[in-house]
Amino acid sequence: MRLPSDKAVRNYTPTQLKSFERTGGDPEVLAYWTPERMKAAKSLDAPGDAEWVESKARAVASKTADVAAKPVAAQISQRVTNAPPPVTNFSITNGKLFIGGYESGSWCSASAINTSSKRVLITAGHCVHGGQGGTWLQNLVFVPGYNAFNTDHDPVGRFQAYWLRTFNEWINNSNLNRDVGFVTTYSGGDWNTTVVNTIGGHGLVYNGGTEFDTSIFGYPGNRDGGNVMWACWGTATDNSILDNKSKITCNFGGGSSGGPWTWNYDNASGLGSVRSVMSTVNSDGVNKGPYFDQAVVDAMNAANADW
């Protein structure tokens, strides 16, 4: 114990400690804490420490991301669908991921990532594996730019899944901080080549902040029945330092899972860098996405090597 006027910490003998049982404590300490001093006392994290904690949290939330993959344009198809600004291109690099076969009643959202194999998609972990107590999902088919309102639902064809990947933390514990999945695809589409050569590939960034401007794409079931791609844009904010996720109020329901949260999205090219993927939505319409760190990059590289 040390009062502000003390030069050193107070040490007590066993005899003094025993005497304090009768007085209720050190008389000098008890005398120091007058009602005025108690009223004026500050908690340990205020005001200076609270500002320090806040500034540190903000620094983490807004820190610069590292680049794991750069976007690349399509070599074959440049088709896009016009939409109102600020998203004016609903990029065909994004698409609908059917689970259980083409145009099945179960789907997620996904997008192509530029890796050396040109075959990798990114989506949510729960779109490739059922999580704790579940198993790997079957017969996944990716359809870039899917639009059920058009005569041609699959404007550049379909790409069947070859191999699936997600994190053990998702498989064993359904840990939403690891709700990220990767799909390695066969050659396919209307030109029977790789998915990235056909539709282009987004980049991927990691180790950035949890707050960033983003354009989000997906097929939410609560918007047009999930029959056409939707977009949401704005600033993703920090959900909690404890769970390391970002949040944004898009009110994108089931089916949008796995849709890319792109950063630096370019309407001209329809490309950006994926910084998170759609994971959950709550009753207030708040969507959340997991943080991308080095482990996500490692998983992407492993998926690239699966071919």
Side-chain angles (χ1 to χ4, degrees):
M1 175 68 193
R2 182 170 63 186
L3 295 176
S5 58
D6 291 339
K7 294 183 179 180
V9 175
R10 293 182 172 220
N11 294 309
Y12 301 111
T13 66
T15 301
Q16 286 176 309
L17 291 173
K18 191 171 183 178
S19 70
F20 291 162
E21 293 178 7
R22 296 189 301 272
T23 61
D26 185 338
E28 290 186 41
V29 173
L30 295 174
Y32 176 83
W33 284 109
T34 63
E36 292 76 19
R37 281 181 173 143
M38 286 189 284
K39 185 177 180 180
K42 303 294 184 182
S43 63
L44 289 176
D45 61 354
D49 287 345
E51 294 173 359
W52 182 85
V53 169
E54 176 69 12
S55 67
K56 287 295 182 183
R58 287 294 172 190
V60 170
S62 61
K63 73 176 182 178
T64 303
D66 298 320
V67 177
K70 294 181 179 179
V72 64
Q75 292 186 6
I76 299 174
S77 173
Q78 297 291 342
R79 301 186 202 179
V80 292
T81 303
N82 291 331
V87 171
T88 55
N89 283 344
F90 277 20
S91 173
I92 207 165
T93 307
N94 315 310
K96 194 168 184 178
L97 182 65
F98 289 99
I99 300 163
Y102 178 53
E103 296 197 318
S104 66
S106 181
W107 77 88
C108 279
S109 303
S111 61
I113 295 290
N114 180 31
T115 67
S116 60
S117 72
K118 309 297 183 185
R119 298 177 180 276
V120 176
L121 312 174
I122 190 167
T123 187
H126 69 265
C127 295
V128 298
H129 191 282
Q132 185 176 10
T135 187
W136 294 101
L137 304 183
Q138 301 292 318
N139 197 11
L140 275 64
V141 179
F142 178 63
V143 184
Y146 178 85
N147 190 331
F149 297 140
N150 291 341
T151 302
D152 186 4
H153 293 186
D154 53 354
V156 296
R158 314 164 197 172
F159 294 84
Q160 182 180 347
Y162 164 74
W163 203 263
L164 310 178
R165 274 193 180 268
T166 188
F167 291 94
N168 286 331
E169 293 98 315
W170 172 256
I171 293 172
N172 297 327
N173 303 305
S174 296
N175 183 348
L176 289 170
N177 286 318
R178 289 303 187 197
D179 189 15
V180 183
F182 292 93
V183 180
T184 304
T185 58
Y186 288 99
S187 292
D190 292 345
W191 295 271
N192 194 33
T193 186
T194 64
V195 64
V196 172
N197 283 345
T198 303
I199 63 171
H202 292 306
L204 186 143
V205 295
Y206 67 108
N207 283 351
T210 48
E211 298 188 353
F212 54 95
D213 290 338
T214 184
S215 299
I216 297 170
F217 300 88
Y219 289 81
N222 60 335
R223 308 289 179 90
D224 290 320
N227 287 310
V228 66
M229 191 188 307
W230 276 71
C232 173
W233 51 86
T235 301
T237 59
D238 187 58
N239 180 60
S240 168
I241 294 175
L242 298 178
D243 69 8
N244 216 21
K245 290 193 285 286
S246 299
K247 67 177 181 179
I248 188 171
T249 304
C250 289
N251 194 25
F252 274 14
S256 66
S257 294
W261 292 29
T262 60
W263 178 63
N264 283 348
Y265 179 73
D266 181 6
N267 278 305
S269 66
L271 297 172
S273 293
V274 182
R275 196 157 168 169
S276 185
V277 291
M278 189 66 76
S279 176
T280 63
V281 63
N282 67 15
S283 59
D284 295 322
V286 177
N287 294 107
K288 296 178 184 178
Y291 181 74
F292 279 16
D293 57 9
Q294 181 63 50
V296 175
V297 178
D298 293 341
M300 179 190 71
N301 291 334
N304 179 66
D306 283 334
W307 182 257

